[in-house]
């Protein structure tokens, strides 16, 4: 269902500068309408973020595509996602052949998404907890993607990155963030590229924003 809508969306992403063929292919295959609440289905293939309940959102397709492209992962890479949410971003990474680990702080959102993953056959290892401390058990990761806006770059995430790997994280105030694309060039060295003007829900945790 909705193949035509997905094709139109992918063409739009291409015209907006997404060039990575594997990313575009995954977006043309993963059924975004299955990751949004039923009343939002008619909006599923618009290039906008949508509410998923609990004050959270499913990211805009352009943002998902841009961040995934920025990770520059090879098939089979190990990726950590912070902010499972609807599961759409994790499903894209899984479709691209990545080994996906994903953390969500809201237990109800995580459990609901884990059920959806089971139903759709999306293999992603899920954890309920504070992603700002990372997931040391499976580190190092070839890529880490943070899908909520943070006031700082959490130290543990830089530590848990493989040398040569990338951390993609929106950093700024609660209204607007700059996307940081951080490449780990050595055990203690990093190179950062910045892309302005993104808007994410807040990352709440020990190295993120306070709860209230
Ligand atoms: N990747 C998601 C986007 C979800 S929105 C998708 O594809 O739909 C961001 C999510 O991050 C929310 O569900 C929010 O509850 C979660 N979140 C916020 N702070 C977090 C933290 N410290 N650790 C893990 N998840 C967090």
């Amino acid at each position: 269902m909705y193949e035509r809508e997905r094709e139109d969306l992918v063409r739009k992403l291409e015209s907006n500068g997404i060039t990575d063929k594997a990313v575009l292919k995954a977006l043309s295959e993963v059924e975004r309408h299955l990751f949004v609440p039923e009343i939002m289905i008619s909006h599923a293939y618009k290039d906008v973020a949508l509410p998923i309940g609990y004050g959270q959102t499913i990211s805009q397709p352009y943002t998902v595509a841009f961040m995934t492209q920025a990770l520059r992962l090879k098939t089979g890479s190990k990726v950590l996602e912070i902010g499972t949410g609807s599961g759409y971003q994790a499903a894209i990474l899984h479709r691209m052949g990545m080994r996906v680990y994903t953390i969500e702080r809201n237990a109800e959102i995580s459990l609901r998404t884990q059920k959806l993953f089971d139903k759709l056959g999306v293999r992603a290892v899920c954890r309920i907890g504070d992603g700002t401390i990372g997931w040391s058990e499976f580190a190092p990761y070839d890529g880490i993607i943070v899908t909520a806006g943070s006031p700082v770059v959490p130290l543990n995430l830089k530590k848990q990155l493989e040398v040569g790997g990338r951390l993609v994280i929106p950093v700024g105030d609660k209204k607007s963030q700059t996307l940081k694309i951080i490449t780990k060039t050595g055990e203690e060295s990093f190179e950062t590229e910045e892309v302005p003007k993104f808007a994410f829900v807040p990352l709440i945790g020990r190295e993120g924003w306070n709860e209230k």
Side-chain angles (χ1 to χ4, degrees):
M1 267 210 316
Y2 299 109
E3 278 84 6
R4 173 74 198 283
E5 285 81 354
R6 270 198 300 287
E7 273 320 308
D8 289 348
L9 173 62
V10 165
R11 236 167 282 137
K12 188 169 173 216
L13 297 176
E14 247 180 318
S15 70
N16 288 338
I18 304 297
T19 53
D20 187 318
K21 292 279 183 269
V23 173
L24 292 166
K25 184 165 184 283
L27 271 117
S28 75
E29 290 172 356
V30 175
E31 301 184 291
R32 189 170 186 254
H33 67 276
L34 302 178
F35 294 83
V36 305
E38 216 159 292
I39 51 161
M40 292 291 161
I41 283 184
S42 63
H43 303 291
Y45 296 104
K46 293 179 182 161
D47 191 19
V48 292
L50 295 168
I52 58 166
Y54 309 97
Q56 303 304 326
T57 55
I58 175 171
S59 302
Q60 183 184 344
Y62 176 79
T63 303
V64 171
F66 189 86
M67 291 176 91
T68 310
Q69 175 168 285
L71 284 169
R72 286 198 250 161
L73 295 163
K74 292 194 202 81
T75 305
S77 297
K78 200 200 302 179
V79 190
L80 176 65
E81 178 194 28
I82 313 301
T84 314
S86 71
Y88 180 67
Q89 172 72 65
I92 293 287
L93 291 165
H94 170 253
R95 182 60 65 106
M96 290 172 71
M98 309 305 166
R99 289 175 287 150
V100 184
Y101 295 82
T102 182
I103 308 177
E104 170 57 55
R105 71 181 288 274
N106 180 310
E108 286 163 80
I109 294 179
S110 178
L111 294 172
R112 186 178 73 186
T113 298
Q114 289 183 46
K115 259 194 213 151
L116 183 66
F117 284 166
D118 287 344
K119 193 169 131 196
L120 302 179
V122 174
R123 282 189 308 279
V125 188
C126 297
R127 177 181 192 172
I128 297 166
D130 176 9
T132 68
I133 58 177
W135 196 346
S136 58
E137 201 180 337
F138 299 105
Y141 302 94
D142 302 306
I144 301 180
I145 178 169
V146 182
T147 64
S150 183
V152 294
V153 180
L155 210 62
N156 277 313
L157 299 185
K158 290 168 90 174
K159 275 196 192 135
Q160 291 175 21
L161 201 58
E162 179 80 270
V163 173
R166 287 190 181 75
L167 164 62
V168 178
I169 177 169
V171 179
D173 58 32
K174 283 193 181 169
K175 281 219 172 69
S176 154
Q177 302 90 32
T178 294
L179 193 67
K180 294 198 179 212
I181 303 164
I182 302 169
T183 307
K184 189 161 181 171
T185 50
E187 268 319 317
E188 301 288 333
S189 57
F190 298 87
E191 267 167 26
T192 304
E193 220 183 294
E194 299 193 356
V195 188
K197 290 202 191 97
F198 283 83
F200 286 82
V201 297
L203 182 75
I204 296 166
R206 207 158 81 188
E207 284 198 65
W209 295 100
N210 294 328
E211 181 104 31
K212 283 266 140 56

